């Protein structure tokens, strides 16, 4: 029970909402989510995550979307951007290094994706991170 409470608090603080908690009822989805959270920069695909979950690709994508209200790859992207935001807040690592560490091949692609999610480029976010809220609010968990 303590673990469930800790997980609920973690996901609420991370902005993932109640959908992630639904995976606690389906351990197959939980395995895939754990894989993404543990290694956000890995080369995740719907097929690879379905394999981790022990499900067919179509069944996994359907169950994932029904449970979390987003596609598996949207979850991967949100997780990567959330991890990047945490690194920007807590380290002095160059933006290029952060981009590479979360799975982006180019700094410019990372900067565009980050700005779309947070409404500010990574450098501005780092300087004003406490004052910038995620730009995405429509049913999709924020990338903060």
């Amino acid at each position: 029970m303590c673990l469930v409470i800790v997980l609920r608090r973690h996901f609420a603080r991370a902005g993932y909402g109640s959908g992630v908690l639904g995976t606690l009822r389906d351990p197959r989805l939980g395995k895939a989510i754990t894989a993404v959270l543990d290694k956000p920069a890995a080369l995740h695909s719907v097929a690879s995550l379905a394999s981790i979950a022990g499900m067919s690709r179509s069944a996994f994508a359907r169950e994932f979307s029904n449970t979390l209200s987003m596609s598996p790859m949207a979850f991967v992207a949100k997780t990567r951007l959330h991890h990047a935001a945490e690194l920007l807040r807590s380290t002095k690592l160059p933006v290029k290094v952060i981009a590479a560490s979360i799975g982006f091949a180019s700094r410019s692609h990372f900067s565009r994706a980050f700005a779309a999610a947070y409404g500010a480029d990574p450098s501005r976010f780092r300087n004003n991170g406490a004052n910038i809220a995620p730009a995405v609010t429509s049913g999709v968990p924020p990338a903060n």
Side-chain angles (χ1 to χ4, degrees):
M1 185 58 110
C2 290
L3 179 59
V4 171
I5 292 169
V6 168
L7 287 172
R8 284 182 182 153
R9 287 182 182 160
H10 169 75
F11 289 129
R13 195 171 347 109
Y16 286 104
S18 62
V20 172
L21 298 177
T23 64
L24 297 176
R25 290 187 294 267
D26 188 342
R28 299 173 303 171
L29 294 180
K31 288 178 186 178
I33 286 174
T34 299
V36 173
L37 294 174
D38 285 348
K39 295 182 180 175
L43 294 175
H44 298 293
S45 67
V46 175
S48 70
L49 294 172
S51 178
I52 290 168
M55 301 170 74
S56 73
R57 186 183 180 285
S58 59
F60 172 75
R62 181 179 57 252
E63 290 302 313
F64 195 99
S65 293
N66 288 341
T67 301
L68 276 80
S69 300
M70 73 176 84
S71 72
M73 297 316 295
F75 179 79
V76 170
K78 296 293 177 193
T79 300
R80 287 176 175 168
L81 293 173
H82 170 74
H83 188 64
E86 291 301 316
L87 289 171
L88 288 166
R89 284 186 185 113
S90 64
T91 72
K92 298 288 184 194
L93 290 171
V95 173
K96 183 177 181 176
V97 171
I98 291 174
S101 76
I102 62 162
F104 280 83
S106 78
R107 183 190 192 283
S108 62
H109 181 229
F110 164 67
S111 292
R112 283 190 306 274
F114 193 89
Y118 284 90
D121 66 68
S123 297
R124 184 169 151 242
F125 178 88
R126 174 176 270 159
N127 294 332
N128 302 309
N131 301 321
I132 297 175
V136 179
T137 58
S138 61
V140 176
N144 69 341

